Amino acid sequence: MPRTALYASIVFVLAVAAAVVSFVQGNWLGVVWVLMAGVSSNIAWFYLRRERLAKADAAGRG
């Protein structure tokens, strides 16, 4: 797993936890945490897919 994808996954988990805590406390700031979770999830998927395609390309050429 690429390091950037790992960091984005960690941010995703922390953002989801922060959103849950925020909403449980009745704070609408949780919406920002949900948006951050979405962005970090997309970043993680992007880098995972990019690595998988690079490995497939390298296997195809070799």
Side-chain angles (χ1 to χ4, degrees), residues 21-44:
V21 169
S22 185
F23 283 131
V24 166
Q25 292 179 351
N27 191 353
W28 282 96
L29 189 63
V31 172
V32 175
W33 292 114
V34 169
L35 293 174
M36 184 180 286
V39 169
S40 62
S41 172
N42 285 340
I43 290 171

Side-chain angles (χ1 to χ4, degrees), residues 7 10-11 13-15 17 19-20 23 25 27 33 37-39 41 45 49 51 56 58 61:
Y7 291 155
I10 291 169
V11 170
V13 170
L14 292 175
V20 169
F23 283 131
Q25 292 179 351
N27 191 353
W33 292 114
V39 169
S41 172
W45 278 115
R49 184 170 184 258
E51 180 190 31
R61 290 184 185 183

